């Protein structure tokens, strides 16, 4: 799955505490047109603000349609989202059936 635009996140935090860090793993159902129609936290970061930020980013995400034999198909993808760590690729992989 290829995102058409980078997934953007925003996390509010107290300056004195510094930005929270962690990884959220999302499960997203992406329809034939590349829109996320359902998303859920599969693995929490342990920080509610990070989890909510990841879900918000998923609601706004748009992907190039997944194709099987040239036909656009709905697919479930698992996406890790890393917060507070050096920039890493945020690729998505179709989930195992």
């Amino acid at each position: 799955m290829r995102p058409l635009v980078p997934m953007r996140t925003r996390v509010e935090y107290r300056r004195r505490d510094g930005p929270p860090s962690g990884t959220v793993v999302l499960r997203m159902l992406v329809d034939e047109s590349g829109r996320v129609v359902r998303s859920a936290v599969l693995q929490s970061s342990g920080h509610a603000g990070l989890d909510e930020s990841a879900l918000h980013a998923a609601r706004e995400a748009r992907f190039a349609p997944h194709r099987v034999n040239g036909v656009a198909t709905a697919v479930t993808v698992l996406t890790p989202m890393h917060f507070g760590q050096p920039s890493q690729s945020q690729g998505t992989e179709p989930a195992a059936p």
Side-chain angles (χ1 to χ4, degrees):
M1 295 290 305
R2 182 177 52 86
L4 295 177
V5 294
M7 293 176 73
R8 302 278 184 216
T9 59
R10 180 178 176 168
V11 179
E12 293 186 20
Y13 62 92
R14 293 181 191 157
R15 182 178 295 218
R16 69 176 180 205
D17 296 335
S21 65
T23 299
V24 180
V25 179
L26 296 179
R27 177 182 294 150
M28 301 184 297
L29 175 60
V30 181
D31 71 10
E32 296 83 359
S33 69
R35 291 184 172 269
V36 177
V37 294
R38 190 176 328 133
S39 61
V41 174
L42 183 64
Q43 179 180 333
S44 173
S45 66
H47 187 281
L50 297 182
D51 295 351
E52 185 56 39
S53 180
L55 287 169
H56 178 75
R59 286 190 291 270
E60 303 297 320
R62 299 294 178 266
F63 295 91
H66 180 70
R67 297 190 179 278
V68 175
N69 296 324
V71 178
T73 306
V75 64
T76 298
V77 294
L78 304 180
T79 304
M81 297 187 73
H82 307 284
F83 293 85
Q85 295 141 359
S87 180
Q88 298 178 11
S89 171
Q90 302 232 335
T92 56
E93 295 296 326

